[in-house]
Amino acid sequence: MAVTAETIQTGYKNAEALALDATTGDLYISVVGEFGGKDGDGFIARMPKGATEPEIFVDNLNGPKGSEIRDGKLYVVEVGEVLVIDLKTKETRSIALPDGGFPLDLTVSAKGVIYVTDPPLNTVYQIANGAVSVLIEDASLGAPNGIYAMPIGDIMVAGWGVISDPNTWETSELGRITRIRPNGSVSEQTKPLANFDGLMRRQDDRGVNYVGTGFNDGILYTADAHLGHYGVSDSFGDGISDIAYSGETAFLLNYKTGALHSVPVEQLESPLSLTAR
């Protein structure tokens, strides 16, 4: 079946992440800008529900990347910290992150614990009551990138892969999807699949799945909660960095082109293959 996608060309430089406000249907886009550290050229754009183009929501940020919305707050990773932005007032507080790595994505649990991935250090941090600690540091995670907190307390992580060249992020082994227990131990893991970027939970009348975006191959990888089986979609072109769901529509963001695609979910749920772990 041919995929029918509506596309908005944002023109944004290095559009990295999506966050959907389930209460309003508004979509928030994290735009890194140039990778120059704390240079203030990054921003968050908002796409109001039904709009045909995004608008600047908060600017003068330092490389904002992974984000998530919970309880009226937008949580976003930027250089050296996590920002917590009130969606109504834009009031912002920050939580400092450890130096030395490259924090890239985050998720917030039902209990309010923030988890942050740091791919080069093979680390996932946890932030509870403002205190930052290491949940897990394990080379088997393969540069953990996308992350999602499961309702039961476990955490799903999608890895970029085993990095062989830190300058180009070239990998000697593709990334895996890993399930991590709340105590920081690895529960289950797929075989190497893709250079994963984003990871999102999808629930419908057929159950719960976790969808990872293959950055270099443009393929969406759908795994069940126990990673026993997974399916793959058609390719949406290289550079797909994140995915968000709003009802029966999936939004796909392309980091390289700044394109924002909207695709009927039904077109993503007939996998080309279904393979045992």
Side-chain angles (χ1 to χ4, degrees):
M1 178 176 62
V3 173
T4 303
E6 294 184 5
T7 300
I8 293 172
Q9 298 292 346
T10 67
Y12 293 154
K13 177 75 172 181
N14 298 338
E16 170 64 24
L18 295 174
L20 179 77
D21 185 346
T23 62
T24 65
D26 294 351
L27 196 65
Y28 293 79
I29 306 171
S30 297
V31 182
V32 174
E34 299 291 345
F35 274 100
K38 294 193 173 185
D39 52 15
D41 70 343
F43 58 90
I44 304 294
R46 177 175 61 192
M47 172 82 80
K49 184 177 181 180
T52 57
E53 61 182 71
E55 59 192 23
I56 302 299
F57 177 67
V58 176
D59 58 7
N60 296 316
L61 300 183
N62 299 309
K65 292 178 271 294
S67 61
E68 187 171 308
I69 293 172
R70 182 173 286 276
D71 298 330
K73 304 282 194 303
L74 174 66
Y75 295 77
V76 58
V77 178
E78 70 164 10
V79 176
E81 58 191 347
V82 169
L83 302 180
V84 185
I85 305 171
D86 188 288
L87 292 178
K88 289 185 177 180
T89 66
K90 300 186 184 179
E91 181 179 353
T92 302
R93 65 182 177 91
S94 63
I95 304 168
L97 291 172
D99 296 328
F102 190 75
L104 195 50
D105 200 5
L106 59 70
T107 188
V108 185
S109 76
K111 296 182 178 180
V113 179
I114 307 168
Y115 297 94
V116 182
T117 57
D118 194 335
L121 299 184
N122 287 310
T123 295
V124 176
Y125 305 109
Q126 63 181 0
I127 305 172
N129 299 317
V132 183
S133 60
V134 172
L135 174 69
I136 180 173
E137 181 179 355
D138 191 328
S140 74
L141 299 179
N145 194 344
I147 187 169
Y148 195 92
M150 302 174 71
I152 62 171
D154 286 12
I155 303 157
M156 286 291 191
V157 171
W160 179 259
V162 178
I163 297 174
S164 55
D165 185 340
N167 295 315
T168 64
W169 284 47
E170 183 178 348
T171 55
S172 58
E173 179 181 278
L174 293 174
R176 307 167 185 259
I177 299 177
T178 303
R179 182 169 172 173
I180 301 170
R181 299 184 182 93
N183 65 5
S185 62
V186 172
S187 173
E188 291 139 334
Q189 195 170 49
T190 68
K191 68 180 183 180
L193 296 172
N195 294 125
F196 284 114
D197 197 331
L199 182 68
M200 181 51 62
R201 183 177 187 264
R202 167 70 179 163
Q203 182 173 4
D204 57 24
D205 56 6
R206 289 174 290 183
V208 174
N209 288 298
Y210 292 84
V211 182
T213 58
F215 185 85
N216 287 325
D217 60 16
I219 291 173
L220 307 180
Y221 293 79
T222 304
D224 64 27
H226 292 284
L227 306 183
H229 295 81
Y230 61 88
V232 298
S233 74
D234 287 299
S235 176
F236 289 88
D238 69 318
I240 297 297
S241 57
D242 208 359
I243 185 169
Y245 291 97
S246 178
E248 294 306 308
T249 300
F251 292 96
L252 304 172
L253 183 65
N254 191 299
Y255 175 88
K256 293 184 177 181
T257 67
L260 178 64
H261 307 290
S262 58
V263 185
V265 169
E266 63 181 11
Q267 297 190 22
L268 305 179
E269 297 185 342
S270 297
L272 297 175
S273 63
L274 190 65
T275 311
R277 174 160 57 106

